[in-house]
Amino acid sequence: MSDSKKSKKLWGGRFNESVDAFVEAFTASVTFDSRMYQQDIAGSKAHAQMLAKVGVLTGKECDAILQGLSEIELEIEQGRFDWSIPLEDVHMNIEARLTEKIGITGKKLHTGRSRNDQVATDVRLYLRDAIDQIMAELHRLQTGLLDLAESHTTTIMPGFTHLQVAQPVSFAHHLLAWFEMLKRDAERLLDCCKRVNVLPLGAAALAGTTYSIDRPYVAEQLGFDAIAENSLDAVSDRDFAMEFCFIAALCLTHLSRQAEELVIWSSAQFGFIQLPDRFCTGSSIMPQKKNPDVPELVRGKSGRANGNLIALLTLMKSQPLAYNKDNQEDKEPLFDSIETLQGCLRAFADMIPNIKVNKDAMYNAAKQGFSTATDLADYLVKKGIAFRDAHEVVGNAVAWCERAGCDLSEMPLEELQKFSSVIDNDVFDVLSLEGSIAARDHIGGTAPSQVKDAIKRARNSIKK
Ligand code: ARG
């Protein structure tokens, strides 16, 4: 980044003194918006072609502009482009370079356009591309979850409420709960894309332009599904960015919940899983340590996504129409949410299929904590006892087990019958962990056959 280029401003006509050096740097956005160079160039090319189509530029002028812009893109890609802070932002850096390269024709590119509709277009194109990449990572993670679930439909673990053992579930069933969270995130992203993919260009500064522009043509060139209806709204609307930041925050909230479980499960106390070494780090002082850094970091990063959302909501609150310089502040939070989400999804998509599952530890944990107590109560209800009474009976049986130091399934039949005479030998079918999960045999239940069907439906839901 240089400040060497003489500050001859592209908008300098009416000014008597040059901009204060600090203000120049303070108001510049090129340090963070240069990443939109591809979108800026694509938008400029479509605009130039449209100007030629409606006769504002000659075919020759348009060709020179397109050629110049392609060369600039290459310069940037190859690191040969000298970004300048005095030139303020990505738009003016590229336009100035174009004029440097092709002369006066370069100065015609901005006809009928303002940076206000230009930047709104660039940000939308940028976010559209980012959403495509995020969707791909999200699908990769979802597929990883389903692959792992596929091999664990009969792996039994405790399901928790209040982080206390509640009822047995299969590990696959638990993973499918994670899948559902991500499925909703994917749906939200697709829906958000409808509002991202709207063309602002043509709104010019705020009121439209006096040239007979062809907006449908530009929309088609750039792959926009719709054209912003109102020029004032077009240049000032950032709803789509806030919406995306909300989705990113929510998706990261989901990832943080999953991360938390991974951290807990990989502790020595649980020992349900082992994370691959390459996703962990050691301690500089304690030689025995293997820390779950990746899930911890993902858990932590949800914080900044929440911050970005609040930053954007606060940025837009009370802004009068139409464009205000405030809007330049939309980019850093948005870019950060994009990058954070991309990184976390990538880390999880790489890591989840490679976790090692300790089935025995899961099974033994499910055996503790009387996880089939509800099954015993349901058994009594099916034998004619009212649920509240059944609840009481089972509570007494659990107390007995606690004193005897055994599980309900290990109680002698005679002891069980002391609590209720309706209990028979068939009770042991429902007291086993396998019996417990198999009995929850309905859509959304944890029975292995149901979970297998659910995996099939889940696979279909991510097929494009
Ligand atoms: N860098 C500016 C932004 O990010 C571009 C638009 C500037 N428009 C203006 N009228 N100053 O918002």
Side-chain angles (χ1 to χ4, degrees), residues 29 33 88-89 91 115-116 119 323 325 327-328 331:
S29 56
D33 66 17
E88 205 175 319
D89 54 27
H91 324 293
R115 270 185 300 154
N116 298 351
V119 69
Y323 177 88
K325 184 74 171 180
N327 287 358
Q328 183 167 290
K331 286 168 207 65

Side-chain angles (χ1 to χ4, degrees), residues 377-393:
D378 290 343
Y379 169 89
L380 294 170
V381 168
K382 285 168 194 162
K383 300 246 168 178
I385 313 257
F387 183 77
R388 275 291 152 234
D389 294 334
H391 191 283
E392 169 87 19
V393 167

Side-chain angles (χ1 to χ4, degrees), residues 337-396:
S337 280
I338 290 171
E339 259 170 43
T340 303
L341 185 56
Q342 276 169 342
C344 293
L345 286 171
R346 178 180 171 175
F348 264 33
D350 288 346
M351 183 181 69
I352 300 269
N354 295 300
I355 60 176
K356 235 181 93 197
V357 179
N358 184 348
K359 294 186 189 187
D360 291 343
M362 288 185 175
Y363 194 86
N364 292 335
K367 277 228 115 174
Q368 285 153 25
F370 309 105
S371 64
T372 57
T374 318
D375 298 80
L376 179 55
D378 290 343
Y379 169 89
L380 294 170
V381 168
K382 285 168 194 162
K383 300 246 168 178
I385 313 257
F387 183 77
R388 275 291 152 234
D389 294 334
H391 191 283
E392 169 87 19
V393 167
V394 178
N396 293 333

Side-chain angles (χ1 to χ4, degrees), residues 65-125:
I65 288 173
L66 297 183
Q67 172 68 24
L69 288 171
S70 291
E71 286 171 22
I72 291 170
E73 191 162 11
L74 206 63
E75 288 173 12
I76 297 172
E77 254 144 38
Q78 297 176 342
R80 290 187 282 118
F81 191 91
D82 183 19
W83 294 103
S84 145
I85 289 174
L87 283 171
E88 205 175 319
D89 54 27
V90 62
H91 324 293
M92 292 203 286
N93 266 269
I94 290 175
E95 191 189 320
R97 177 74 184 123
L98 182 68
T99 301
E100 209 172 82
K101 287 173 82 80
I102 67 170
I104 188 163
T105 306
K107 295 186 178 180
K108 297 188 177 180
L109 169 63
H110 211 51
T111 312
R113 181 177 80 168
S114 154
R115 270 185 300 154
N116 298 351
D117 58 345
Q118 186 179 359
V119 69
T121 304
D122 291 4
V123 176
R124 285 170 183 268
L125 287 173

